[in-house]
Amino acid sequence: MSPGAGQGADPDATLLLAYAAGDRAAAAALTQRLAPRCLAVAQRVLGNRAEAEDIAQEAMLRLWRQARSWEEGRAKVSTWLYRVVMNLCIDHKRRQRGGHLDLDAVPDPPDPGLSAAEQLQHGARMDALQQALMQLPERQRQAVVLRHIEDLPNPEIAGIMDISVEAVESLTARGKRALAAALSGRKAELGYSDG
């Protein structure tokens, strides 16, 4: 029995191995599970939907290339994929240094249950969050996105970012403080009250 088999088996690894064996339905299911998460992470890190789509697509292509040599139990597929997304984002940012990131290209889909005024308020809050995220140092932004937006546990983030759990905790704590400071003067504008 492989190390990942049994009760704690990674369902994504099962699908990936099925794809490697020729099961196209497994590829579709895995894409449905993981591609939206890759896109969301890349969009939050880069602040640009079009660039994030390219990153997510490249990450999924790398996953398909890895399928035949995947060793179940060595790492969770999602952890491996998040790491690929982060590395692609870092590489993209390095190539782009000195360029302009268009924050206006990061629209969030409106919640159909909200009124028009609430949708505008929600959009303003999301824009403010994205702008504040883009002001964080890159590693802090990555840690905050993975921990507080993607809701990943610290040990998984440590594996993705190739750092210790303590470093993840430090990065997220500093990132949260910086976000709070960046947004504190905008509470009234964003519709938050202290009461």
Side-chain angles (χ1 to χ4, degrees):
M1 186 183 268
S2 68
Q7 195 174 32
D10 179 5
D12 295 331
T14 303
L15 288 171
L16 185 61
L17 293 172
Y19 162 74
D23 183 349
R24 296 215 183 276
L30 196 56
T31 299
Q32 221 171 15
R33 287 171 60 94
L34 298 177
R37 293 171 69 189
C38 290
L39 176 61
V41 168
Q43 186 170 343
R44 286 293 183 195
V45 170
L46 296 175
N48 182 295
R49 179 151 181 108
E51 292 169 353
E53 287 172 353
D54 292 342
I55 296 292
Q57 183 177 18
E58 177 61 26
M60 292 303 294
L61 286 172
R62 289 185 184 192
L63 179 63
W64 303 137
R65 286 186 211 117
Q66 180 70 26
R68 290 198 190 282
S69 60
W70 187 261
E71 294 179 36
E72 192 172 12
R74 287 192 70 202
K76 286 179 62 179
V77 171
S78 60
T79 301
W80 182 88
L81 194 57
Y82 276 126
R83 187 165 190 179
V84 169
V85 168
M86 284 300 176
N87 287 339
L88 288 169
C89 287
I90 290 166
D91 291 346
H92 178 78
K93 301 264 302 173
R94 282 185 185 141
R95 286 190 305 272
Q96 188 185 47
R97 283 242 158 65
H100 172 71
L101 288 179
D102 183 11
L103 294 178
D104 295 329
V106 189
D108 283 321
D111 183 345
L114 300 176
S115 70
E118 290 169 330
Q119 288 178 17
L120 287 172
Q121 187 73 62
H122 178 73
R125 289 174 178 173
M126 293 299 101
D127 288 346
L129 174 61
Q130 186 63 39
Q131 289 170 6
L133 278 170
M134 296 310 293
Q135 299 306 310
L136 293 178
E138 194 167 325
R139 299 294 277 175
Q140 283 181 22
R141 180 171 56 249
Q142 291 171 357
V144 168
V145 166
L146 291 172
R147 180 68 190 104
H148 296 290
I149 295 175
E150 291 302 309
D151 204 28
L152 295 179
N154 287 345
E156 189 170 348
I157 297 168
I160 292 166
M161 295 181 69
D162 198 24
I163 58 177
S164 69
V165 171
E166 293 79 15
V168 170
E169 292 167 354
S170 175
L171 286 169
T172 55
R174 286 182 291 156
K176 280 177 52 178
R177 282 193 303 272
L179 284 175
L183 295 171
S184 67
R186 299 184 67 186
K187 283 183 180 179
E189 168 196 346
L190 298 173
Y192 291 109
S193 64
D194 291 331

